[in-house]
Structures are given as structure tokens and as C-alpha cells.
Amino acid sequence: MLLRALSVAVASLALMLPAFAAAPVPAATPRIIEIASASAPVTGMQLFVPAGLDRQPRNRSGLAAVVAQALIETPVNGLALALAVARAGGSITYTVDGQETHFYLEAAPSHFAEAASLFALALTHPDFGPVAIESAAAYVTQRASASNGDGLSVGAAMFRSIYLAKTNAGLPTWGSVATIAQISPADAADFFRENYVARGSIIVGAGAAAPGLSEGERMVAAVLPDRDAAEIVGSGRLPVKARSRELVTHRDLPAAWIVLGYDAPAPGSRDFAPVLVLESLIGQAVGRGLAPPLVSTPTDAEMPVGSLYLFDTVPSAVIVYANGAGGDPTLAVRTVATVIDTLVAAPLTQAELALAKAQATGNMLFEEATIADRSWLTGNFAREGAGDDYAARVLPAIAAVTPAQLRTAAKRYFTHYTTSIVLPREGRP
Amino acid sequence: MIHRSIAAVLASALAAVPLAAGAAGAHPARTIVQTGDGPPLAAVELWFRAPSVGFGEPLVGIAQLAAESVAASVGHGEPLAALVQDSGGRLQIATFSDSVQVTAVVPAASAARIARAAFEDYTRPALTQDGYKRARESVAVEAAESQADPDVQLRTQLFDALFAQGPDRYTALPTVKQLGALAYPEIVAFAKRAFRAENAVAVVTGVSESAPVLSALGGAGTSEPVEAPAASAASAAPPSVVSDSVAGPAFGMAFAGPPIADQRAATAMDFLADYLLDAKLGAVAEALHGVAPGTSVSGQFITLHDPGILLVEVVGNASGAARETVERALQRVQQPLDAQTFEAARRRYVYRVLHDSQSAQAQADNLGWYAVEGSPSYAPFNGGEQGEYLALARSLTPEYVANVARVYLKAAPAIATLTPQPAAQAQKGAAR
């Protein structure tokens, strides 16, 4: 993989953008990182804008998602952006996270520049009219309702609301029916104007470079105005560290879910690699204790037990989850405690450590299996200050983890936790 | 000990039963190694040409159980399932009507070691009773999950109706009763015949150099697997089947399509499947939007040796109006699309083909499937935008596609309908 950070020459932009030649060229562009791959079958681009949950007011929870949805429904050449990109031979999706929203544009290499020009047009003339906002809000409301039916999502969101409590980054991704109903076209236009800006944005170009990757990057970069994003909205509450507390809620689910949440170090930190290894170790131990599969299960939500390292927000966290439908979920809690107690009491043997590192390495590589994954991972690490090439550097860091580092990390991060319990509603058969 | 591997669990297993002699030094019938410059994650796949129901009287699930039994057995060292997991990888085993696929996705640094172990374990299988028992438990769980899936229920009924005989009639995973009938000696016999080196296609992707894996696999093969492709005969008049299910309402249609040897026609069917059946943007989903909101559509053309199969599945509505909508869409494509619509559909379709072959595993799946079906060079991933498959895609015209649709979509399809199961009956079924 060729990892190349680009400093875009601003002066040359106007010449390279015939469709936007008349548009004023911004004095500063977003940071652009390129991870081209000669063997990739498609070209992709991830745009991170500082328009995350933490920039929306609490009483407009869901606004970041409504704006992103309205953007991909914005008419471009007579078609909604997502449809126009599909007809051009590509796709566009978005994800709203605590501290940013990111869009992923992908296309056949020969059509990428065209797809990027459509995206740039939508960014230039987004439609936040009453009809557009009503449509986007309806979609986001539907997603908000659906997320209540997934025990892992509910449990993880409960934990996030605690550990990200300092700002609004812990608000639910899709908001709530009540707050979405409050969102007006003016709210959406303001949020877009304030937060879809060059400063703090990152573009990661990935996959096949020829013929249009760099051209596409520049087209999108050129339409983001050069200013800072709005202030992050403080919650007025103190951040709550994980400290053996319990959160309980009820949902229409067939079985209970337990989600344990732990504080964890951010990417780039010295403790990041040891905690990646610990998280793998815990996930494997919990999995083997409950329902060992011979062949792997495709998605996290389908697995009865598992662990996830949430390093997409600052601060980071680790969660361990168990689905009651797959066995006794309290066994997961006991297993984690056993693993940590054992680690604290005595270091792993070299053989055990080698296995744990192999699994952590594998888990990290699975995080970048596709071009979308890879561009997200690179951009996320860069956004959090770990460096443009951290996805490559983290593998040797895992290999260098020592038993002593694991013990230290186990004591530092895995002795206090928050428990989120999602129970079926009473009366459910 | 925290790290309790499957090897430790199986330490007291019965002595392994070697099945085949003389395979040492062999190499797969065909070897495909694709290097890349992506992240160092490799897919190591072995494909075997074998009917999912075995070589004699149909035994549903025998191929899946045999393949998992090998992976769980202490054959030549640590069981493959444990070895892959301990390498930081994931093992998957899938069986299709005419092939068995074993996939290990592992860090690239482990690819050669895993390729060697997998090839040795399968082509010189040494099954154990304990591995067989472990595999039975695993297959039972997979089968139970699969049978609760409406897609699987529809497919089971559609394939049974579409084919008069042959392995395509049957599902890959067994019912509880069928699983109980799969005795150890039969598993051993199946493994001995199916998992021979000369019946294997090995595919490795995601590595930066090919020499180490080629060496681990005993060299490069360029032949066809020795077993003949499985043949299934389509029914002259496929029946319509109605049954109740907790997954209802739903309905599906299956049409016999061109064989893989008719590459341009098979490509046209792929194009049609994408144009009609894309879950979000397909013509059927668009047409159903106004008639049956909330209904989901899926489907694909399955490229097989002979015949291929076009599957249409509609979940959430089985009304006459929904069915008529689908039938009208299938009729409309029997006339040429206008040039603009056709070109936009082709762009979307070409992108989908490229999009679906991004990861090392997707690439290996693609190369392996087409190789075991007998047309390795026709694999869509082979050559990307400049490859044989996409050259055929570019050669399609609205008239040719309409003509292919008239040939294959005019015939009466197999139709399966799932009606909602009454709640009381569903509870009784669950208790059983």
C-alpha cells in the first residue's frame, strides 16, 4: 500500500476544475491523505467533516443525521445525489459519529471523477428546503425507531451516553422522534454552513488511483469553505468514568443483552496496542466460554458474545457484550473478571502472548478489509492525531507488546466498568 | 489457562484415522495465486468439486459435515479450525450444490503456513470421531439458524420445485433428522473421494508474493478437478408450492438459465438480475414501492455449470398485486430497454461487479467459484475492468439482453409462496 500524504497546491486548483472554475478557491483546503492501491478494483474517497453529534444542540438530537441525509438526497442534474452517483457507476453513503460525519464515495475507476463532481455539486448547492428536510427527517426517524430493536446498539448507546457525557457526542446517532420533529430547514442550513468546512476536515483517497482519484479529491476539497467549524456543544455535565455502575433499560427484544464498558486509550497512545491485545484476549475468552463456533459468524450483532474497541471517538472505550439468546450472559461478566484477575496475578507465557498478539493483529487487519474500511481507519487515526500512517504502524506496535505492558494495561483500564443491561419488556412471550 | 485452544480440548481425542495414502507431494488440480498491494490480509481457499448430497443416494448435509469434521479433527497436528483462529484468522466452510469451499482469512504472513496445513488436512484427511462429533454440533447450530431464514426457506422450496433430479434440488444444510442419519463411515467415505488433491482448486489472494504459497501447496496446477461437474435436470413443468412459515408472507420465483459455457448469455442474465433485483435501485423494488411499501426484494443469477438459476425473492408481501408487479417487470425486460436506461443500468452493474470484489476474501470467492464451475478465466475479478467478464459486459446491447430474457424468462418458473404461520402453530413448532 502506498501511503502518501498530499499537500495540495492551492494555486493549481482552479485550472484543474473546469466545472468549478468560477468558484472562489479556498485559501486552505482540507487535509488530504492518499492510500492508493494498484490492485484495487474500485476507487474510493472518505470525506470527514467536523459535523458530528457533538456540534448539535441536545434539543435537536438527530440534526447531524438529517443534514447528511438531506445532502445525499439533494437533486443533482435532476436526480437525488445518491441516485445520480449510482447511475454514474458508483455509490455514496454516510456515517454520523460522535465527533464527525463521514461520507464515503466509491466508483469504478473510470467513473470516479464524474461521481466526485456530482458530490461536489451537492456540497455546493445542498437542498435544505422544507420538503427535503421533511423527507430526510422521516428517514432518520425510521432509523431511530429501528435502532431501538437491536440490543447491542441500545446497550452500546447507553454506555456512550455516560462516557461521552462531557459533550453531546454521546447523543444517539439517529436522535429521537421528539427531537427530530423540532428540526427546521433553518437548523439544517445553519448546521451545514457552520460545520461542513475545510478546517478540521480530512479527505482520504483510496483504491485505484487512475484516472480520477486526485482530481476527485481536489474537486471536493475546493468546495469546502475555509473556516473553522462551530463550537462543540458542552453538556454542562461532568464526564463520568467507568466505575462499576449499572444502567438498565427495557426494549422489545426476545432476550437480555449485557454490555460492559471500559475506559480505553486513544489511537497513538502507548497503551493502545496493549489494550488491543487485551481486548482480543477478552473477546476470545468470552467467546470460547459461551458458544464456541467452529466456523466464524459474519457480524458482531449476530455473535452471541464478543468485544469491540470503540476508537472512533475521543475518549476511546472497550465494550464486551453478551446476548442472552446465545447462552447465560452473566458468564461473560465472570469470564472477563477471570481473565483480568489472571493477568494481574501472573503474566502470560510467551506462547499465550504470541497467540493473543496474532488475534489482535488479525482483528486489526479485518478492520481494513475493504477500501471503505481502509479509508475510514486511516482518516480516523489521522483525525485523532495518531498519524496518517498509523494503520501500518500499529501492527509492529502489537508485535512489540510485552507481558508487563499487558499487566499494566489490565490494571489501568479493566478493573472498573459500567454495566448496561437491556432487558425484554415485561409481558413479552 | 486463559488461552484454551481447541487443540487442548481435543488432546484426548481418539487416534486419527488416515484416509488416503500417496497424496504427499501432490498439488491441487488448479492453483490460482493473486498478489496485491492492499493490507496484509490473505484469503486461502480450497474448493472441491463434489455434490453437497454426496456421490450416491442423496444424503443432505454430508458435504458440510465432512468438511467441518476435517477442520475439527486432530489430523496432522492442531485442528485447522484452531490453527486458523490462533493465527488471528477466521475459518468459513460453505457447501453448494456442486462444490465445497473451505476459506481461511488470515494475516498474510501466515498464508503459506495455513495453505500447507489446509491442503494437507483435506487432501490427506485424518478424521477423528471427536472431530466428527464437534462438527455435528456446529452443523446443527448452523442448520437451525439457516432454517429460520425466509430466504433459505424460499430457496429450499424453489430449488426442489425447479429441478426434477440432481444435487441442485437439495439444501446444503440438513434438518435434525437428516443430520442424525449421517454416520461416521459415510463421512469418511465422502471425504476420501471428494477431498483429493486432483479434485481441488486452491486460491490464494491478498499476498504480496506468490512463491511461498505455491511452494506450500506443492506447486502450481493448471488442470480441471477430476470429478465431473454435477448435473441437475430442470423440471419440464415446475410446480407452484405454498406453505406456511413464521417468515411469511413471502414469495419467490426461480428460472432455469444459461449454462456457464454460454458466457455472453450468462453475463446478460447477471446484468438483468442487477437491473431488476437490486434491493434499493432495481426495477422491481421501484415498481413495488408504490404497490407494496415495506416489501423487500432480492435475487441473483447463480452462474452454474448447467443450468444457471435466476432467483427472485420478495419478503413482506405475497399478494396478487405484488406478484403481478414482479411479473410485469420480468415481461418488460423482454423488450429492449431504451439506450439511456440501458447505459445507466450497465454502469451500475459494472460498478457492482467491481465493488463486490474488493476484499481478499471476495476475490478468492470469485476466482474459486468460476474455476470449480469450469471457467476460471471468466471470473469477473479476473482482469478487472479490462478482463474477459467485463469485456462481455461491455459487449451487451439492449437487443441482445432482451433476446436472452425472452429465451429464459418466458418459460414457466418454479414459484414458492410462504404464508404467515398462525401464532399458536408457530409456538408449537418452536416447542418441538
Side-chain angles (χ1 to χ4, degrees):
Chain A
M1 177 164 45
L2 173 65
L3 189 59
R4 190 159 57 94
L6 290 182
S7 176
V8 176
V10 174
S12 64
L13 276 177
L15 296 173
M16 305 187 74
L17 293 170
F20 301 94
V25 174
T29 55
R31 184 166 162 199
I32 297 180
I33 303 166
E34 202 166 284
I35 45 170
S37 164
S39 59
V42 293
T43 303
M45 180 177 71
Q46 199 88 238
L47 167 66
F48 295 76
V49 287
L53 302 173
D54 60 351
R55 312 263 173 181
Q56 54 180 19
R58 183 166 288 270
N59 63 2
R60 296 290 187 276
S61 177
L63 177 57
V66 168
V67 169
Q69 180 64 25
L71 191 65
I72 69 162
E73 290 181 10
T74 286
V76 179
N77 299 339
L79 291 171
L81 172 63
L83 188 55
V85 170
R87 287 177 72 95
S91 64
I92 184 163
T93 55
Y94 68 87
T95 305
V96 178
D97 281 331
Q99 287 134 351
E100 38 85 20
T101 290
H102 55 101
F103 292 84
Y104 180 63
L105 179 74
E106 186 183 273
S110 51
H111 298 139
F112 183 78
E114 183 182 343
S117 72
L118 296 169
F119 185 29
L121 270 174
L123 284 164
T124 312
H125 303 293
D127 181 2
F128 297 127
V131 175
I133 292 305
E134 190 180 341
S135 168
Y139 175 82
V140 173
T141 302
Q142 192 183 22
R143 295 294 303 261
S145 303
S147 65
N148 276 325
D150 174 356
L152 178 54
S153 293
V154 173
M158 287 164 68
F159 172 60
R160 284 169 60 93
S161 73
I162 292 294
Y163 91 95
L164 296 172
K166 191 177 177 184
T167 70
N168 285 346
L171 290 174
T173 304
W174 301 104
S176 68
V177 176
T179 54
I180 296 166
Q182 305 299 315
I183 294 169
S184 69
D187 292 331
D190 289 349
F191 186 82
F192 178 83
R193 191 184 62 254
E194 290 170 357
N195 300 304
Y196 281 61
V197 295
R199 293 184 196 166
S201 288
I202 295 176
I203 290 174
V204 182
L213 177 56
S214 296
E215 187 187 349
E217 290 162 357
R218 285 189 282 263
M219 276 191 244
V220 171
V223 299
L224 294 174
D226 176 30
R227 55 173 176 262
D228 290 323
E231 290 291 310
I232 291 170
V233 183
S235 67
R237 296 189 291 168
L238 290 173
V240 180
K241 291 283 188 184
R243 57 182 59 170
S244 302
R245 52 185 290 165
E246 280 187 8
L247 309 167
V248 182
T249 190
H250 293 78
R251 292 289 191 278
D252 285 326
L253 298 170
W257 282 75
I258 290 182
V259 177
L260 308 180
Y262 302 84
D263 298 336
S269 143
R270 258 187 85 181
D271 287 342
F272 186 67
V275 172
L276 275 176
V277 176
L278 271 176
E279 183 258 321
S280 299
L281 201 57
I282 289 168
Q284 291 290 331
V286 170
R288 285 179 176 174
L290 274 183
L294 181 59
V295 290
S296 54
T297 313
T299 66
D300 295 324
E302 288 173 38
M303 290 176 68
V305 291
S307 58
L308 293 170
Y309 198 149
L310 308 179
F311 52 77
D312 58 338
T313 46
V314 179
S316 299
V318 166
I319 62 171
V320 178
Y321 62 89
N323 177 0
D328 175 8
T330 62
L331 184 55
V333 182
R334 296 199 298 274
T335 305
V336 175
T338 305
V339 170
I340 298 305
D341 289 349
T342 310
L343 275 174
V344 170
L348 290 182
T349 64
Q350 284 301 327
E352 290 168 338
L353 181 62
L355 285 172
K357 287 181 186 178
Q359 281 155 359
T361 301
N363 289 348
M364 184 49 69
L365 288 171
F366 277 100
E367 293 275 352
E368 48 176 329
T370 66
I371 292 162
D373 297 337
R374 209 173 313 157
S375 55
W376 173 80
L377 193 69
T378 299
N380 185 67
F381 284 156
R383 193 179 59 79
E384 296 193 359
D388 297 357
D389 61 347
Y390 191 64
R393 285 192 290 116
V394 74
L395 299 177
I398 291 170
V401 169
T402 65
Q405 283 179 305
L406 275 189
R407 282 183 80 184
T408 304
K411 283 184 201 167
R412 187 174 292 160
Y413 298 103
F414 287 92
T415 48
H416 298 292
Y417 56 90
T418 296
T419 308
S420 303
I421 303 172
V422 189
L423 296 169
R425 285 191 208 282
E426 284 180 22
R428 192 185 161 88
Chain B
M1 190 171 83
I2 298 161
H3 246 290
R4 194 165 52 90
S5 70
I6 293 174
V9 177
L10 297 182
S12 61
L14 296 176
V17 182
L19 298 173
H27 59 72
R30 184 177 296 280
T31 317
I32 302 169
V33 180
Q34 186 90 39
T35 57
D37 61 354
L41 186 67
V44 176
E45 295 194 352
L46 293 179
W47 290 75
F48 299 96
R49 196 179 272 173
S52 67
V53 291
F55 295 97
E57 281 298 304
L59 289 170
V60 176
I62 190 169
Q64 184 76 23
L65 182 55
E68 292 202 27
S69 296
V70 173
S73 290
V74 185
H76 307 286
E78 194 175 9
L80 186 65
L83 190 63
V84 169
Q85 196 174 24
D86 291 347
S87 302
R90 297 173 191 174
L91 181 74
Q92 292 175 351
I93 293 173
T95 45
F96 306 98
S97 60
D98 57 357
S99 61
V100 178
Q101 177 193 11
V102 180
T103 302
V105 184
V106 293
S110 302
R113 186 166 60 94
I114 296 297
R116 186 190 307 277
F119 184 61
E120 223 174 78
D121 280 1
Y122 275 89
T123 59
R124 293 195 294 139
L127 290 173
T128 62
Q129 287 275 5
D130 217 38
Y132 162 72
K133 283 179 193 162
R134 174 83 179 81
R136 277 174 61 115
E137 290 167 14
S138 176
V139 171
V141 172
E142 291 163 57
E145 286 172 355
S146 158
Q147 282 153 15
D149 182 343
D151 284 347
V152 173
Q153 291 181 25
L154 277 175
R155 281 179 189 217
T156 301
Q157 297 188 359
L158 287 170
F159 281 42
D160 183 53
L162 185 64
F163 292 99
Q165 60 179 26
D168 282 316
R169 283 193 70 189
Y170 305 98
T171 58
L173 292 170
T175 61
V176 173
K177 190 177 170 188
Q178 288 166 334
L179 183 61
L182 297 173
Y184 182 62
E186 286 166 322
I187 297 299
V188 171
F190 176 89
K192 192 173 179 179
R193 176 166 172 184
F195 304 146
R196 286 173 292 161
E198 57 269 34
N199 194 38
V201 173
V203 185
V204 181
T205 56
V207 289
S208 57
E209 52 178 343
S210 57
V213 285
L214 282 173
S215 168
L217 290 166
T222 54
S223 311
E224 281 283 291
V226 289
E227 289 288 345
S232 291
S235 296
S240 292
V241 190
V242 179
S243 58
D244 57 10
S245 160
V246 286
F251 72 94
M253 297 176 178
F255 297 83
I260 195 169
D262 189 351
Q263 293 182 349
R264 194 169 182 228
T267 308
M269 290 296 278
D270 273 342
F271 168 86
L272 278 169
D274 189 68
Y275 171 73
L276 287 166
L277 304 171
D278 181 273
K280 279 186 183 168
L281 303 170
V284 171
E286 203 173 299
L288 276 172
H289 189 66
V291 178
T295 304
S296 66
V297 182
S298 60
Q300 60 178 316
F301 177 65
I302 306 172
T303 309
L304 288 164
H305 184 73
D306 189 17
I309 303 166
L310 181 78
L311 269 182
V312 181
E313 294 169 10
V314 177
V315 176
N317 193 310
S319 66
R323 190 166 306 180
E324 280 168 25
T325 303
V326 174
E327 285 167 352
R328 272 201 301 277
L330 295 172
Q331 278 168 3
R332 269 199 294 275
V333 294
Q334 294 174 34
Q335 298 302 318
L337 298 174
D338 69 76
Q340 199 180 358
T341 304
F342 184 83
E343 190 45 40
R346 175 160 45 194
R347 276 192 178 205
R348 198 182 74 197
Y349 153 66
V350 168
Y351 164 64
R352 193 260 304 163
V353 170
L354 295 169
H355 169 83
D356 287 350
S357 51
Q358 286 186 50
S359 68
Q361 184 177 0
Q363 292 166 3
D365 288 353
N366 189 289
L367 295 166
W369 175 276
Y370 283 82
V372 85
E373 292 298 332
S375 294
S377 64
Y378 176 55
F381 178 64
N382 190 29
E385 276 190 296
Q386 308 312 318
E388 190 175 317
Y389 181 93
L390 288 182
L392 281 166
R394 283 193 298 275
S395 81
L396 298 177
T397 64
E399 292 73 22
Y400 179 76
V401 170
N403 186 49
V404 169
R406 279 195 296 277
V407 171
Y408 293 102
L409 302 184
K410 268 215 166 123
I415 298 174
T417 306
L418 302 180
T419 56
Q421 189 174 21
Q425 199 180 332
Q427 279 179 2
K428 197 175 163 188
R432 196 165 52 230

